Amino acid sequence: MSQKKALIVDDSTVTRLMIRKIISEKRPNWEILEAESADQAKSILPEHPDIDLFSLDQNMPGSLSGLDLAQSLKTEYPNSKIVLITANIQDAIKNRAKDLGITFIEKPVTADKILPIIEIL
């Protein structure tokens, strides 16, 4: 079995650390990458064409939102799992995530919310 890879995109260091900890405890062999913004994530993607899981925040500094990034990832990484983890619980955000076919998870981040996603990968 090949090593899985996850990219956590969130401007909150605490949130990135929490998601990393949850993944690492369940899947210690996974490679976990981090980015502070969707723009930063876009810049590292060419070096990592094999990411299995994307965890995206919605509201981050820069020109792209998490949903903007998710839209391009759906084309570039059609077999990857994409999860939007955000405190922005507006129906418009939930509906756009649903339309993109990505999973919506409301913050705060907990193991109970993340582990079911990891289990299927």
Side-chain angles (χ1 to χ4, degrees):
M1 184 155 102
S2 64
Q3 181 184 24
K4 299 283 186 180
K5 189 180 291 187
L7 173 59
I8 304 166
V9 185
D10 199 303
D11 59 330
S12 166
T13 303
V14 172
T15 299
R16 288 196 314 272
L17 289 172
M18 289 178 65
I19 296 171
R20 173 182 283 276
K21 181 177 185 286
I22 292 166
I23 294 172
S24 295
E25 286 180 354
K26 185 68 177 177
R27 302 282 195 239
N29 295 330
W30 280 30
E31 180 179 349
I32 302 172
L33 308 168
E34 296 183 21
E36 296 178 356
S37 68
D39 295 308
Q40 184 184 34
K42 288 283 280 187
S43 71
I44 66 172
L45 289 176
E47 301 168 27
H48 303 280
D50 55 348
I51 296 173
D52 302 284
L53 172 65
F54 291 93
S55 169
L56 310 175
D57 188 14
Q58 170 58 13
N59 299 321
M60 296 176 281
S63 62
L64 296 172
S65 71
L67 285 170
D68 293 335
L69 179 60
Q71 189 163 1
S72 65
L73 293 174
K74 289 294 286 182
T75 303
E76 298 167 26
Y77 295 83
N79 298 319
S80 299
K81 180 72 177 173
I82 303 172
V83 181
L84 184 71
I85 302 176
T86 181
N88 188 335
I89 58 168
Q90 297 175 32
D91 286 342
I93 301 298
K94 290 180 182 177
N95 290 337
R96 188 164 169 214
K98 183 178 178 182
D99 289 346
L100 287 171
I102 66 173
T103 302
F104 179 93
I105 295 178
E106 183 179 332
K107 285 185 178 176
V109 174
T110 65
D112 290 343
K113 295 176 182 175
I114 304 294
L115 288 177
I117 304 298
I118 297 169
E119 293 288 341
I120 62 171
L121 295 174

